[in-house]
Amino acid sequence: DGLFCNLDAGFDGLKLRLAMDKHGIISNVCPNRRNGTDSSEEYLFDELMYKERWTVERTNAWMDGFRAVLIRFDTTVDSWKGWNYLAFIVMFVKKCLKYN
């Protein structure tokens, strides 16, 4: 109950939307104009929330560039958090140096 799913246009299909509705999942799916039907009239689409999804996915892609975070050699939560913080610091410094 209350589970939310934010998907891109590749997932815009009637069967998926019906399955999510059946399980009580709130969907925010970007309408796909190529599938021949205009489902945007039946379902709400929050464009601002969809843009936030892109930001999260971009950050996850950046994180994939850090092997220690991606493979997770260490099994403790503290170690995993530390590697993530280190990766974020490196990304931040690179971003700052880019604009200076």
Side-chain angles (χ1 to χ4, degrees), residues 54-55 58-59 62 66 86-100:
W54 181 84
T55 304
R58 180 194 61 207
T59 304
W62 286 341
F66 293 90
L86 185 60
F88 286 129
I89 290 168
V90 169
M91 284 189 276
F92 178 72
V93 169
K94 283 183 178 180
K95 202 74 146 157
C96 288
L97 292 175
K98 182 179 177 181
Y99 291 110
N100 285 335

Side-chain angles (χ1 to χ4, degrees), residues 24-94:
I25 300 171
I26 302 165
S27 63
N28 188 44
V29 182
C30 183
N32 188 349
R33 311 259 185 255
R34 292 182 288 171
N35 62 1
T37 60
D38 189 17
S39 61
S40 61
E41 294 176 5
E42 300 172 26
Y43 294 95
L44 295 176
F45 176 63
D46 187 347
E47 192 168 337
L48 185 61
M49 188 172 293
Y50 183 74
K51 286 180 183 179
E52 187 73 19
R53 175 187 180 273
W54 181 84
T55 304
V56 171
E57 286 197 9
R58 180 194 61 207
T59 304
N60 288 338
W62 286 341
M63 294 296 293
D64 286 348
F66 293 90
R67 186 180 176 102
V69 175
L70 181 64
I71 296 182
R72 194 171 176 185
F73 293 108
D74 299 314
T75 57
T76 63
V77 174
D78 288 337
S79 177
W80 179 78
K81 281 183 184 179
W83 283 112
N84 276 283
Y85 289 142
L86 185 60
F88 286 129
I89 290 168
V90 169
M91 284 189 276
F92 178 72
V93 169
K94 283 183 178 180

Side-chain angles (χ1 to χ4, degrees), residues 8-19:
D8 63 13
F11 294 96
D12 184 22
L14 184 59
K15 288 183 181 180
L16 179 63
R17 287 185 183 268
L18 292 174

